[in-house]
């Protein structure tokens, strides 16, 4: 066990990455640390106690840094579009995709307009990491010498598939933007990066058999969540089974407690301040990756004029917007730079080309509301509070399995689901020249696929269809648009339903 993290006072005699910090910063860190207690159990899991929620966040990030600062830095480099500064030119297209999708200027604006309680958490988040680096000069960040409070607003979703691209890949990006790179760096051969998400064309296939074939390799690494109601439970108590399968070391385990009502234990994605999958004294929540259609590709009819690129929309032409994107990468120990011109239509950034048309991506990957929702679900103590948090409609990649001590079990398939014209096949790129394909707002929570206290007494989701989630009590497929739940079936889902649907408790 280890108590007050402020008990150790380190007088730095040599150079370190944070020696330039102001006395005001150091005093703020020390004052915060005096209000934090970290106790590690016999398994090394940190239990963090603070007077305020911000204290708990500060201590939780400090403890995460003790265990895996390298992964924290990498996660934020990915979301900031700066991985190539650590990994070299092979990550340039991944960085370009992130920089096209999310603008750091928007994150900074979101920080400025955040409510004070959230600003306090964001400052404590950065302070916890920076204080760790101050106390441990031997830990040298590769790139991020100082963490800023707005960083977390670039990473608002704790899912494995934190970025939705509508099926576009970094290979599409390389084909479209590659000539710009080759013009600056002759002969630089890049692999095209690693796809950030699985293709929607694959995972959102039209039939269960097609989906099964495309997702065969995923059978060994998917997440599973089960909720058992009192009537089905042998003990008479509701049960929640939290079984997240993620890449090795993708998440940490811990507990956060404050005198402001925070009491949560579970898994957090490295570098994030909320418990992503876990429980408190009253309820528990499990997220599984889902495949609700949350991002779309639009085919834009473009042509070049004397004044620049334009694209067709209804009976007019609109100017393609452009933005300069400067990226850095390390090569043989030297930092180098490359410049791209990114293109945008009103749908979003251009991420590729198909059949002579540019593909623009419409998405909702980064938002202030998403981070607020992530925190509020962590602090929810009953079904009403959890449901209210879910009404933020900002979770883009997850399904949610829920249970509480009052005996409720519930399920939400996805959360943020744009309304669309059902005449179009949204699993494929759609025509960007017509208003008919525009999103028409977002489905309210009560219109999404959901289950509450089913008569069957159980809920299961294994990254598969919600239409077998509760046996005979499952939702009916024909009540919902296809894009809301294109997920097919898989072996884990079939087996879970078979086992849980048996008459024994």
């Amino acid at each position: 066990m280890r108590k007050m993290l402020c008990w150790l006072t380190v007088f730095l005699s040599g150079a370190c990455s944070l020696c330039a910090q102001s006395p005001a910063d150091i005093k703020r860190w020390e004052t915060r640390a005096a209000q934090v207690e970290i106790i590690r159990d016999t398994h090394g899991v940190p239990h963090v106690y603070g007077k305020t929620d911000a204290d708990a966040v500060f201590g939780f990030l400090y403890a995460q840094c003790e265990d895996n600062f390298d992964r924290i830095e990498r996660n934020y480099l990915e979301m900031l579009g700066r991985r190539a500064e650590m990994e070299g030119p092979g990550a340039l297209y991944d960085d370009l995709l992130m920089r096209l999708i999310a603008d750091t200027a928007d994150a900074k604006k979101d920080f400025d307009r955040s409510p004070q309680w959230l600003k306090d958490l964001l400052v404590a988040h950065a302070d916890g990491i920076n204080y760790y680096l101050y106390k441990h000069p031997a830990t040298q960040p590769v790139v991020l010498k100082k963490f800023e409070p707005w960083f977390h607003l670039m990473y608002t979703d704790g899912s494995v598939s934190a970025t939705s691209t509508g099926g576009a890949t970094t290979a599409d990006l390389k084909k479209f933007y590659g000539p710009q790179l080759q013009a600056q760096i002759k002969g630089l051969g890049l692999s095209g990066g690693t796809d950030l998400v699985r293709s929607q064309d694959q995972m959102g296939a039209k039939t269960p058999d097609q989906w099964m074939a495309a997702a065969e390799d995923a059978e060994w690494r998917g997440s599973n969540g089960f909720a058992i109601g009192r009537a089905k439970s042998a003990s008479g108590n509701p049960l929640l089974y939290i079984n997240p399968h993620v890449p090795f070391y993708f998440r940490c385990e811990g507990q956060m407690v404050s005198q402001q009502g925070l009491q949560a234990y579970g898994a957090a994605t490295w570098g994030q301040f909320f418990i992503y999958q876990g429980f408190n004294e009253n309820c528990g929540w499990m997220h599984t990756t889902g495949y609700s259609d949350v991002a779309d590709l639009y085919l834009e009819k473009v042509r070049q004029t004397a004044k620049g690129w334009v694209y067709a929309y209804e009976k007019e032409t609109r100017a393609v917007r452009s933005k300069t994107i400067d990226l850095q990468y390390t090569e043989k120990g030297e930092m180098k730079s490359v410049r791209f011109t990114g293109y945008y239509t009103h749908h979003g950034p251009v991420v590729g080309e198909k059949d002579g048309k540019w593909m623009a991506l419409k998405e909702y990957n980064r938002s202030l509301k998403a981070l607020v929702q992530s925190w509020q679900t962590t602090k929810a103590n009953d079904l009403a509070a959890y449901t209210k948090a879910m009404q933020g409609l900002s979770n883009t990649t997850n399904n949610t399995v829920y249970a509480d001590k009052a005996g409720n079990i519930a399920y939400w398939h996805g959360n943020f689901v744009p309304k669309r014209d059902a005449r179009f096949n949204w699993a494929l790129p759609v025509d960007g020249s017509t208003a008919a394909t525009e999103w028409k707002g977002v489905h309210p929570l009560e219109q999404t696929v959901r289950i509450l206290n089913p008569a069957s007494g159980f809920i299961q989701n294994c990254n598969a269809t919600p239409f077998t989630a509760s046996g005979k009590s499952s939702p009916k497929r024909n009540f919902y648009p296809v894009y809301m739940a294109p997920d097919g079936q898989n072996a884990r889902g079939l087996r879970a339903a078979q086992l849980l649907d048996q008459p024994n408790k």
Side-chain angles (χ1 to χ4, degrees), residues 255-334:
Q255 182 181 20
M256 303 173 69
V257 183
S258 82
Q259 296 175 21
Q260 291 184 318
L262 176 64
Q263 166 62 285
Y265 184 101
T269 303
W270 293 109
Q272 294 191 317
F273 63 48
F274 56 89
I275 298 297
Y276 176 75
Q277 295 155 316
F279 58 92
N280 55 40
E281 293 176 313
N282 300 291
C283 62
W285 55 96
M286 165 61 186
H287 293 307
T288 60
T289 298
Y291 303 103
S292 297
D293 188 350
V294 299
D296 291 310
L297 295 172
Y298 288 80
L299 296 177
E300 312 284 20
K301 300 174 182 177
V302 299
R303 61 185 177 86
Q304 195 167 23
T305 69
K307 294 183 178 181
W309 289 97
V310 297
Y311 65 103
Y313 188 72
E314 290 296 319
K315 296 180 180 181
E316 62 179 18
T317 58
R318 296 186 175 185
V320 174
R321 184 169 62 89
S322 62
K323 182 176 74 172
T324 298
I325 298 175
D326 291 315
L327 299 179
Q328 291 185 302
Y329 65 97
T330 182
E331 187 175 45
K332 297 180 180 179
E334 181 182 351

Side-chain angles (χ1 to χ4, degrees), residues 122-442:
L122 292 168
V123 170
H125 170 268
D127 282 355
I129 300 172
N130 292 330
Y131 185 54
Y132 170 81
L133 293 172
Y134 169 70
K135 288 290 190 180
H136 297 80
T139 300
Q140 289 292 308
V142 178
V143 176
L144 299 175
K145 306 303 182 184
K146 181 181 180 181
F147 280 70
E148 300 290 346
W150 57 267
F151 277 12
H152 207 324
L153 287 162
M154 295 293 291
Y155 196 11
T156 56
D157 186 337
S159 174
V160 174
S161 303
T163 306
S164 301
T165 66
T169 68
T170 44
D172 295 319
L173 210 67
K174 178 183 178 181
K175 183 177 180 181
F176 186 82
Y177 288 100
Q180 292 189 32
L181 183 63
Q182 293 296 336
Q184 299 172 74
I185 310 174
K186 300 296 184 182
L188 181 63
L190 301 181
S191 63
T194 55
D195 293 342
L196 298 178
V197 294
R198 281 164 283 179
S199 168
Q200 197 171 1
D201 294 341
Q202 293 175 323
M203 304 310 291
K206 298 177 183 178
T207 70
D209 288 343
Q210 289 174 331
W211 193 93
M212 286 278 284
E216 183 177 355
D217 69 320
E219 285 300 302
W220 301 101
R221 54 183 172 85
S223 297
N224 312 298
F226 307 150
I228 312 298
R230 281 177 169 164
K232 187 75 175 176
S233 166
S235 69
N237 297 315
L239 306 173
L240 181 67
Y241 179 72
I242 299 175
N243 180 221
H245 286 206
V246 294
F248 205 49
Y249 288 133
F250 187 80
R251 295 200 177 102
C252 59
E253 185 174 348
Q255 182 181 20
M256 303 173 69
V257 183
S258 82
Q259 296 175 21
Q260 291 184 318
L262 176 64
Q263 166 62 285
Y265 184 101
T269 303
W270 293 109
Q272 294 191 317
F273 63 48
F274 56 89
I275 298 297
Y276 176 75
Q277 295 155 316
F279 58 92
N280 55 40
E281 293 176 313
N282 300 291
C283 62
W285 55 96
M286 165 61 186
H287 293 307
T288 60
T289 298
Y291 303 103
S292 297
D293 188 350
V294 299
D296 291 310
L297 295 172
Y298 288 80
L299 296 177
E300 312 284 20
K301 300 174 182 177
V302 299
R303 61 185 177 86
Q304 195 167 23
T305 69
K307 294 183 178 181
W309 289 97
V310 297
Y311 65 103
Y313 188 72
E314 290 296 319
K315 296 180 180 181
E316 62 179 18
T317 58
R318 296 186 175 185
V320 174
R321 184 169 62 89
S322 62
K323 182 176 74 172
T324 298
I325 298 175
D326 291 315
L327 299 179
Q328 291 185 302
Y329 65 97
T330 182
E331 187 175 45
K332 297 180 180 179
E334 181 182 351
M335 193 66 72
K336 300 181 180 181
S337 299
V338 64
R339 172 168 288 182
F340 289 93
T341 298
Y343 295 103
Y344 297 78
T345 72
H346 74 281
H347 293 120
V350 175
V351 294
E353 186 174 1
K354 182 178 181 180
D355 300 329
K357 299 181 178 70
W358 288 7
M359 291 193 301
L361 170 65
K362 189 172 182 64
E363 45 74 34
Y364 187 64
N365 284 303
R366 187 213 66 79
S367 75
L368 173 61
K369 287 179 63 178
L371 189 57
V372 169
Q373 182 173 331
S374 295
W375 180 256
Q376 289 177 338
T377 53
T378 295
K379 291 200 69 174
N381 283 319
D382 57 26
L383 179 61
Y386 202 93
T387 301
K388 183 178 180 180
M390 291 287 285
Q391 288 171 344
L393 302 175
S394 297
N395 190 322
T396 59
T397 61
N398 299 308
N399 308 317
T400 304
V401 185
Y402 169 96
D404 64 32
K405 71 176 185 180
N408 298 301
I409 61 173
Y411 176 76
W412 294 270
H413 193 78
N415 183 245
F416 169 83
V417 185
K419 290 182 180 179
R420 305 166 170 94
D421 188 329
R423 294 175 300 171
F424 297 94
N425 181 358
W426 293 95
L428 300 174
V430 295
D431 184 359
S433 67
T434 172
T437 57
E438 297 291 349
W439 289 357
K440 301 169 183 10
V442 180

